[in-house]
Amino acid sequence: MIHRQPHTPRRDLYAAAAAVLLVTAAVLVGRHIQDAHHTLFVHWPPLFADWDPHLGPGTPAALVLAAAGVAYGPTLAARLPWRALPWVTWAGSAAWIVSLALIDGWHDGIATRLTTANEYLQVIGRFHDIPATLRGFDDHILAGVPGNWPAHVAGHPPAATLTFVLLDRIGLGGGGWAGMWCVVLGASASAAVLVTVRALAGESLARRAAPFLVLAPAAVWMGASADAYFAAVAAWALACLALALTRRSLPWAGASGLLAGLTCYLSYGLTLIALIGLAVVVLARADLRARPVIVLPFLAGLAVTPVVFGLLGFNWWTAYHLLVTRYYQGVGGTRPYSYWIWANLACAAIITGPATAAALPRTAGSLTHRDDRPATHLALIVGAALAALLIADLSGMSKAETERIWLPFAVWLLPAGALLPHSRAWLAAQVILALLLNHLLLTGW
């Protein structure tokens, strides 16, 4: 079933064309600023990437998956038993991410992504005594202090780094294991979003959204990026919240709180998922009123991670304020806000693809014309994610590299594609963009 809005396919094309113009402007203006002033610190603005046309071992698989996904994805999503669909979505997303990553080869595409100078695996050896390291974590955030943390370690609460420390402790050390952890966990975000959409907006829209969640251009950056892992934890926190409310389930509420607390100790900026959580609560408010005790296990779960890290000596607020100082000590203090305030949105348009851009006006229409209840519910979820992304943009703490940093918000914009007619044509546009990005550019972070 296509949920009709007061928009025509021609207007969809206009919206997608506007996104193309935004990206084109970001490329041209960014190129001029970088050449003239060297203040962007990216080689292919607005993306943190280098121009490097290439093929790789993942090329054949990526082409096959793209063709099969466009040809059969919508039909498969419509016909599979629901119990199987989230698992197939997860597997399909993982296959798409891996195939794109392997265009750069195993070494460059996955195994060394998290071993570079700014990444988490550089400091594994400094966590021999975890409680002592956490107590002194804040002392190494600022640039210039002895033993200051690499950029990504300093830029996140220590649960991010501890994930890779613990993987190393159980024998899964090195970039290959760390990379695949992020790929496999990150791919599950698509299943989490799918589960949430079904719980709050109905199965029909969830099924239509599934191919767009799998075949997203964002997969280019989900390959061995820790932000893909963060996106998955945040997405499952919200999925568990939706299940807790709609099923009036105390265990799901506890799980949601536990994951939400962990999310905030993986990335400071992901406190903004509270906006999407608020949308979930609004949509399921009748269920919450029917069983308000659901709040108690949620709050209990939410407290676990802050209490554990607090007892171990880590102060979240102190670390965050030190991070703000560190951010402006580095390239974040030089990159011009006047460019990135809108070029970041071009990055978002790239990772979510032309289908999402085309669907956003329909999403807005669903919020103002509430004759289609499921579409209105979906639009509220997408709108909350967009609001979170815009607040992150206005903060000035995300200047550049947002194609990676904003993955946790981007995955919630992708279901908007469910509102589009002619889904195969828009899916084709999504996969073509992803293939071009990964074959023409060498992405990094």
Side-chain angles (χ1 to χ4, degrees):
M1 175 182 178
I2 295 174
H3 296 266
R4 301 188 182 279
Q5 308 296 334
H7 294 276
T8 64
R10 181 175 292 181
R11 290 184 181 181
D12 298 338
L13 290 173
Y14 291 158
V20 171
L21 290 175
L22 175 64
V23 172
T24 302
V27 172
L28 296 177
V29 174
R31 185 72 271 159
H32 170 73
I33 294 173
Q34 181 63 11
D35 289 344
H37 305 289
H38 308 289
T39 56
L40 298 187
F41 299 96
V42 294
H43 296 155
W44 205 86
L47 301 177
F48 193 86
D50 293 287
W51 179 259
D52 182 23
H54 62 286
L55 300 175
T59 297
L63 292 173
V64 169
L65 284 171
V70 171
Y72 303 109
T75 301
L76 194 64
R79 295 181 179 177
L80 275 176
W82 173 257
R83 287 183 179 273
L85 186 56
W87 296 99
V88 172
T89 299
W90 184 352
S93 182
W96 180 233
I97 293 168
V98 169
S99 68
L100 290 171
L102 291 181
I103 292 170
D104 300 330
W106 169 257
H107 180 268
D108 293 337
I110 294 178
T112 61
R113 289 282 183 168
L114 295 168
T115 64
T116 57
N118 289 322
E119 286 288 358
Y120 305 95
L121 268 63
Q122 289 290 322
V123 300
I124 297 295
R126 294 172 61 178
F127 278 76
H128 291 303
D129 185 337
I130 291 176
T133 305
L134 291 178
R135 285 194 297 273
F137 190 88
D138 295 357
D139 299 334
H140 303 287
I141 293 176
L142 295 179
V145 300
N148 64 295
W149 299 119
H152 289 184
V153 177
H156 295 83
T161 306
L162 272 179
T163 298
F164 302 105
V165 171
L166 295 176
L167 283 176
D168 183 77
R169 293 280 177 88
I170 64 173
L172 303 180
W177 285 111
M180 288 307 298
W181 168 270
C182 293
V183 167
V184 175
L185 267 292
S188 75
S190 60
V193 176
L194 189 71
V195 167
T196 308
V197 171
R198 185 199 186 222
L200 299 172
E203 189 170 315
S204 177
L205 278 176
R207 288 180 179 275
R208 287 183 57 80
F212 291 98
L213 289 166
V214 171
L215 298 174
V220 172
W221 287 273
M222 294 189 84
S225 164
D227 293 88
Y229 159 49
F230 306 159
V233 176
W236 281 111
L238 294 166
C240 289
L241 178 61
L243 293 174
L245 292 171
T246 56
R247 297 182 181 183
R248 304 177 186 178
S249 166
L250 300 183
W252 282 118
S256 175
L258 187 63
L259 291 172
L262 175 59
T263 296
C264 295
Y265 278 72
L266 291 171
S267 174
Y268 297 104
L270 287 187
T271 53
L272 288 172
I273 69 160
L275 289 176
I276 310 175
L278 179 61
V280 172
V281 172
V282 167
L283 292 174
R285 59 190 180 277
D287 297 291
L288 180 59
R289 283 196 296 266
R291 198 177 189 193
V293 71
I294 288 173
V295 173
L296 297 180
F298 174 82
L299 292 177
L302 185 65
V304 170
T305 301
V307 167
V308 169
F309 275 88
L311 291 175
L312 290 174
F314 173 73
N315 187 305
W316 192 96
W317 283 106
T318 300
Y320 174 72
H321 289 297
L322 289 169
L323 162 65
V324 173
T325 301
R326 167 71 180 261
Y327 181 78
Y328 286 100
Q329 286 178 325
V331 296
T334 304
R335 285 171 168 159
Y337 184 84
S338 58
Y339 171 75
W340 289 109
I341 188 65
W342 60 273
N344 282 337
L345 302 181
C347 293
I350 291 170
I351 63 176
T352 57
T356 303
L360 286 181
R362 289 179 178 266
T363 304
S366 295
L367 287 173
T368 56
H369 300 84
R370 301 184 180 182
D371 53 328
D372 187 337
R373 186 181 179 88
T376 300
H377 285 197
L378 176 61
L380 185 59
I381 297 168
V382 173
L386 184 59
L389 186 149
L390 292 174
I391 292 171
D393 190 29
L394 291 170
S395 74
M397 290 294 291
S398 298
K399 296 196 288 286
E401 302 179 56
T402 49
E403 65 272 16
R404 168 185 57 82
I405 298 168
W406 287 354
L407 287 173
F409 307 124
V411 295
W412 292 96
L413 300 180
L414 298 171
L419 301 175
L420 292 169
H422 313 298
S423 62
R424 282 189 175 84
W426 287 111
L427 279 174
Q430 297 287 85
V431 300
I432 288 170
L433 175 59
L435 291 168
L436 287 174
L437 286 168
N438 225 140
H439 282 95
L440 295 178
L441 300 175
L442 184 63
T443 59
W445 39 81

